[in-house]
Amino acid sequence: MSRIRARVTVVGAAALTFALAAPPLVAAEPGAPAPVTVEEARLDRAVPQEILRRSGFDTVAPEFAGALGHARTYQQAERAVVRHASSLWDRAVDRAQGRGPVRGDLSRDDDRPLYWARLAMTRELRQWEPGFGLTTGQRDRLVDRLERASRGQDSMNLPAGKGVKRIVMTGFDPFTLDRDIRISNPSGATALALDGTWIRTADGPARIETAVFPVRWQDFADGTVERTLRKQLPKADLFTTVSQGRVGRIDIERTNGAWRGGFGDNLNVSRTETVPVSDPATQPQWTTTTLPYAAIVAAKTGPFPVFDNTAVTEIPAGSTTPVARPDGPTPGSTARAGGGGDYLSNEIAYRATLLRDRLGLKIPGGHVHTPVLQFDAANTTEITDPVFVKNRLEIIAQVREIIRVAADAS
């Protein structure tokens, strides 16, 4: 009360009214445990548990929970989150690239252990009740740190100096899990297989650095793509966003559209709207690949046919009706689907190429759609089979070769 009285003496009764109405200067109230998300709730089903057990990743969340239990301050909790999340990414990369002991009988190229182990960690973090006051905002920041570190988003390490090319590649989590919870995403598997690896190009060695992104509309609206790539693209000589696309083929998507078509994400959330970006007043309806698509299509990169996909869906200038165009958009049209569709595959390509253009970068970059990863036709229940593994390994190898061809031609 002494501070309030001093203010009254100086500036009068009006100040007393303001001071008494102002909120007390106390620490923020601790936030309650956060509810489990739709993604995290799927963990309780048999398939995710089998994937974690048969990969040896079933120990990840319990070890993380133990570390959280020893945290006595927010700073200690943050260090535990970053340490365990980074370790998860490194462990998944090492497993995919044949380093370290084999744990479980799932093939090393499998991306699903990373996905389900991350969700087990975020669920532990949401439900954690520490002995100190953890606000809702602090918990959200810890979840964000966990997401970024366990996806490789904040550990890209493009080498400096001359005589080496620098390549950025991104993949995605599995999705459509309510349709088939066994699903893997070959783009995520490729990211794990290629992170930190070197390839030889016509101009010398090239280093590939990768990251994986969630299949969630809100994360993209919150700028996860731009936050990850803004510091990397100016250092890169080439980038490619990669996702799972159509059955039996690979597509180099020529044009990307500024439209969200509403398909449900991994939280079963739908969004139908213009892609939300910063500075929407200067937002184009379309962005274009600068990958050397002609060279890629002409090269023999692997067993799947590769296409230069020029199709889009647009609303022509002066019209209100969407029209499918096989050869790209017409002047002044409004986007309704890029070559890669109107889902997050298209959106990551749109965001990455828009960022390229807004930064004024003259580097090759664009989107590659892989074939759909398929199980043996006779397998409707098992989490893996020889056809499934062979299919994924072939996709990984062909994407790697496509990146090499793109680097050679650039």
Side-chain angles (χ1 to χ4, degrees):
M1 284 296 293
S2 61
R3 186 160 64 92
I4 293 176
R5 280 199 298 270
R7 290 185 64 194
V8 173
T9 301
V10 175
V11 297
L16 176 62
T17 303
F18 173 81
L20 292 176
L25 298 176
V26 297
E29 288 294 322
V36 171
T37 69
V38 169
E39 272 189 292
E40 292 161 354
R42 296 188 184 104
L43 274 164
D44 294 326
R45 297 171 64 177
V47 164
Q49 293 302 312
E50 183 180 355
I51 289 169
L52 290 172
R53 184 176 65 256
R54 291 178 60 181
S55 62
F57 278 52
D58 54 342
T59 63
V60 169
E63 290 169 358
F64 175 57
L68 286 179
H70 287 98
R72 298 293 177 263
T73 65
Y74 175 81
Q75 290 73 23
Q76 290 177 357
E78 185 176 37
R79 286 194 291 271
V81 165
V82 173
R83 183 173 68 254
H84 282 262
S86 299
S87 177
L88 175 60
W89 173 256
D90 292 342
R91 179 173 171 179
V93 169
D94 286 347
R95 188 176 191 276
Q97 296 181 18
R99 293 187 293 269
V102 177
R103 301 178 183 178
D105 64 348
L106 281 186
S107 61
R108 284 184 176 269
D109 53 283
D110 203 315
D111 60 305
R112 297 172 297 176
L114 170 64
Y115 175 71
W116 292 112
R118 181 193 304 114
L119 287 175
M121 289 177 68
T122 58
R123 185 164 74 171
E124 290 287 352
L125 184 52
R126 291 184 205 280
Q127 296 295 286
W128 177 47
E129 298 186 64
F132 61 92
L134 183 69
T135 68
T136 299
Q138 288 175 324
R139 191 186 301 272
D140 290 343
R141 286 193 291 276
L142 291 177
V143 172
D144 181 64
R145 292 301 304 275
L146 192 160
E147 286 275 349
R148 290 163 55 192
S150 65
R151 295 179 175 282
Q153 292 177 359
D154 58 3
S155 59
M156 287 185 172
N157 186 27
L158 293 170
K162 298 180 180 180
V164 59
K165 285 192 173 183
R166 290 157 284 268
I167 299 170
V168 170
M169 176 253 164
T170 68
F172 271 106
D173 287 347
F175 66 110
T176 63
L177 294 152
D178 291 332
R179 182 183 302 168
D180 186 346
I181 199 165
R182 302 175 301 159
I183 278 174
S184 163
N185 193 321
S187 69
T190 303
L192 292 175
L194 299 188
D195 186 51
T197 62
W198 294 83
I199 58 174
R200 182 154 296 280
T201 74
D203 299 322
R207 169 75 168 237
I208 304 173
E209 289 289 323
T210 74
V212 173
F213 285 89
V215 183
R216 298 189 296 250
W217 292 113
Q218 189 59 49
D219 291 69
F220 277 56
D222 290 340
T224 185
V225 174
E226 292 82 0
R227 180 175 61 185
T228 302
L229 298 183
R230 185 172 287 112
K231 291 182 179 180
Q232 303 303 327
L233 295 192
K235 297 182 286 186
D237 298 292
L238 182 147
F239 71 89
T240 178
T241 54
V242 182
S243 66
Q244 180 177 254
R246 301 167 180 93
V247 174
R249 59 182 281 175
I250 291 175
D251 289 289
I252 312 303
E253 306 295 358
R254 184 84 73 89
T255 306
N256 318 297
W259 185 251
R260 295 175 152 190
F263 189 77
D265 64 9
N266 276 351
L267 295 174
N268 293 337
V269 171
S270 175
R271 291 285 185 269
T272 305
E273 59 190 354
T274 299
V275 171
V277 298
S278 62
D279 195 11
T282 65
Q283 177 180 11
Q285 285 295 304
W286 308 99
T287 64
T288 304
T289 189
T290 47
L291 288 174
Y293 49 85
I296 295 171
V297 170
K300 295 180 179 179
T301 54
F304 299 99
V306 182
F307 296 90
D308 167 25
N309 185 26
T310 59
V312 300
T313 301
E314 67 173 15
I315 299 176
S319 177
T320 59
T321 304
V323 176
R325 298 282 190 192
D327 297 319
T330 57
S333 66
T334 301
R336 281 300 177 266
D342 56 12
Y343 195 41
L344 288 163
S345 294
N346 168 78
E347 184 160 333
I348 197 169
Y350 177 84
R351 288 180 179 277
T353 50
L354 178 61
L355 180 62
R356 173 203 64 199
D357 296 344
R358 285 182 165 180
L359 292 174
L361 302 175
K362 305 299 182 183
I363 61 172
H367 194 73
V368 175
H369 251 136
T370 77
V372 173
L373 180 56
Q374 295 178 303
F375 290 96
D376 188 297
N379 175 16
T380 59
T381 58
E382 299 301 315
I383 66 169
T384 190
D385 62 56
V387 171
F388 184 65
V389 173
K390 179 176 181 290
N391 190 205
R392 185 167 52 212
L393 288 171
E394 288 176 342
I395 292 171
I396 291 170
Q398 191 161 356
V399 172
R400 181 181 184 276
E401 183 63 10
I402 285 171
I403 291 173
R404 189 196 64 76
V405 170
D408 275 350
S410 302

